[in-house]
Amino acid sequence: MRETRKALYEKGRKLLENKIFKNLLYFGIPVVCFFLTLLTLGTCYDTNDDATISNIASGAFGPESERLIYVNILLGFLLKPLYWLVPGLNWYTLLQFAAVIGCLGILNRLFAEKLGFWPGLLLGTLFTATFGVDAFSTFQYVKNGGILLITGLLLVALELGRPGARTAVGLLLTLFGSMLRFENFYAVGALAACLLVQRFLKLDKGEKKKAVLTMAALFLLVFGAEAVDIAAYRMDPAWNEFTRYNAARTEISDYRIQFLQDETPLLQLGLSENDAALLKEWSFYDPPFFSTEKLEQIAAALPAHTPVLQAVKNTLFSGAHFLFGSPAHLLFAAVLLCCLLFSDKKGLLFYLATMVMLGALTFYLCYKGRMLGRTDFLLTAAALVLGLFCCNGGRAPAPGIRAMLCGAAVLLLCSLPYYQERAGIMPVYRETHPYTLAEYGQMQGDKEHLYVCDIFYWDQIQGYDLFHPREAGFFSNVAFTGGWMSHTPFQRRTLERFGAESPYQAVAEKNAYLISYTQKEKLLLYLREHYQADIELEETRQLDKFYLYRAAGPA
């Protein structure tokens, strides 16, 4: 029996020394995690942004499917032939899922190289079970792009001065991540700066020259792709007009929406209380009144940032929040404690500098009035990974594998309520976000009429099946009263085909059906205030919780 155990032990040891088996283990963990997440928790879009981008990519809004608006146009050109070859699949989500799985596998390997096989594999598994499960269960391009950027910049930093295959992979991942969300590059890059400086200082003169060339190539790729994207929109007159309108809309909806509580500046600009209410709900796509110039005036009349003292309070509250809540915060706190206790002085200095940068970024977001949301995921993951690789052992003996297993068990136990909560979301989600309704088919087939949807119907009609987008041309007779698709050439062409400049005008002139739930009275009042439309909205039929109305009048 003893000899049998010894033989099995030797076989196991040799198997673990096999590089192929190790790589299968590193990449197999996120693959297994992905499918377990689909089977147990399910997967959905975290926000309607990705649902809309998926439908643009599939051609549901029109033939210009490469123009993904918030995602780089070069990625749109890459996706376009894939939708042409297999139009029934959502290549936008499939490509990101594959990239995130690959990045988690790479991180598992890098953790093992940094900490040793078993401790690194354990940390990698915990990272996958927290950040990976979050990314798989609630799909969001900001989070996905963040994981790609973290992995890419980490590879570049670790191979700084010694360019090779890993450097090339790092550059490609960094490029891909920045194409998904360019602003992420600044956030992750800032948190990677301390690690890059630390690695650069250790290089000799020849290696430093190579490091400079590597970083030059990185910036050339990232900013070159962004320059192409900007030029593609500005060179087209219709899309250039949208770009200016969208910048003004974003300034209000994304950056200053929290300052709309005080309606005094809005009333002084000639807005009514009802106008202000629709503005807060993003329901202001009406160029005859809410023109680009009007939106710019509104943005200028609102405060530009949160008061400094309030921003400091919000930052401190966000810092305290890291000790509670999601498994991601718990894992960050555990790694933070280990790094503070076990890193040597030089490594600890760069680690603390990374944490200071984390605090500065959090303060900046609070100062600008941004809600952390998906950015919290990005900053937490980046600080955990990039800060860890700043550290070096030597200050105290590292915790043994048994201690780490006990800590992992405690962390997972504390995370159970989070996973239970996630498991309860999908049944409700499927019920409230049906992908198919008989009414959708009726709307699709009724191309002689325009259907105007209020902003709250956006989620329902976009469809929330991550693997199958809406078919080409689905939205050719659909317009929205607001949202970030407002004033795109997609929406303008649809409205022009029905002889309208805005969705409100189409409803006022009785050329459209209106789909609404809670906004009916506000929309009707808006039509009376700005179009002098003495009409009533007659209910024709119910669509799930929403109602389909047709204008009739005079009242």
Side-chain angles (χ1 to χ4, degrees), residues 144-366:
N144 299 336
I147 292 176
L148 268 63
L149 279 165
I150 292 165
T151 309
L153 287 172
L154 179 59
L155 283 171
V156 170
L158 295 179
E159 301 300 315
L160 200 62
R162 297 180 292 273
R166 283 191 173 188
T167 302
V169 173
L171 291 174
L172 288 175
L173 289 175
T174 303
L175 175 62
F176 188 6
S178 65
M179 288 168 68
L180 283 174
R181 187 63 168 168
F182 179 70
E183 289 79 1
N184 282 0
F185 178 74
Y186 294 117
V188 180
L191 289 168
C194 297
L195 177 61
L196 287 164
V197 170
Q198 183 190 43
R199 303 290 296 188
F200 183 81
L201 294 175
K202 295 179 180 180
L203 304 178
D204 60 34
K205 188 175 181 180
E207 291 175 332
K208 286 182 178 178
K209 290 182 180 180
K210 293 179 181 179
V212 171
L213 291 175
T214 298
M215 295 306 298
L218 184 145
F219 285 111
L220 182 63
L221 284 171
V222 171
F223 286 96
E226 179 65 9
V228 170
D229 185 66
I230 293 172
Y233 282 87
R234 289 187 176 176
M235 290 173 64
D236 185 296
W239 283 101
N240 185 48
E241 184 180 341
F242 160 75
T243 300
R244 185 186 164 201
Y245 175 93
N246 191 53
R249 180 208 60 78
T250 301
E251 193 66 30
I252 297 170
S253 301
D254 290 6
Y255 293 97
R256 307 193 188 186
I257 195 74
Q258 71 280 4
F259 300 131
L260 291 177
Q261 302 304 319
D262 182 8
E263 297 180 357
T264 303
L266 304 181
L267 299 178
Q268 291 174 346
L269 290 174
L271 276 68
S272 68
E273 292 184 4
N274 189 62
D275 294 334
L278 290 175
L279 192 71
K280 295 173 187 177
E281 295 175 353
W282 288 43
S283 298
F284 52 90
Y285 177 31
D286 186 37
F289 181 71
F290 283 112
S291 63
T292 302
E293 292 75 13
K294 189 76 169 182
L295 295 180
E296 290 172 343
Q297 292 175 6
I298 293 172
L302 295 172
H305 55 76
T306 304
V308 174
L309 184 58
Q310 184 61 44
V312 171
K313 291 180 180 179
N314 293 342
T315 303
L316 294 175
F317 177 79
S318 300
H321 185 60
F322 277 112
L323 303 177
F324 308 98
S326 71
H329 292 154
L330 294 174
L331 182 60
F332 174 84
V335 173
L336 172 67
L337 183 62
C338 288
C339 289
L340 293 176
L341 291 176
F342 301 108
S343 178
D344 67 359
K345 291 182 179 180
K346 290 184 178 179
L348 184 61
L349 178 64
F350 285 96
Y351 181 80
L352 292 175
T354 304
M355 296 304 107
V356 170
M357 183 62 71
L358 172 63
L361 288 171
T362 305
F363 171 77
Y364 173 77
L365 291 171
C366 294

Side-chain angles (χ1 to χ4, degrees), residues 108-170:
N108 284 341
R109 179 169 179 170
L110 296 178
F111 286 143
E113 292 175 0
K114 172 72 175 178
L115 304 173
F117 179 73
W118 288 114
L121 192 65
L122 177 60
L123 178 59
T125 302
L126 290 173
F127 189 88
T128 301
T130 53
F131 293 94
V133 167
D134 194 330
F136 296 147
S137 63
T138 52
F139 183 97
Q140 218 275 337
Y141 70 125
V142 172
K143 297 191 293 189
N144 299 336
I147 292 176
L148 268 63
L149 279 165
I150 292 165
T151 309
L153 287 172
L154 179 59
L155 283 171
V156 170
L158 295 179
E159 301 300 315
L160 200 62
R162 297 180 292 273
R166 283 191 173 188
T167 302
V169 173

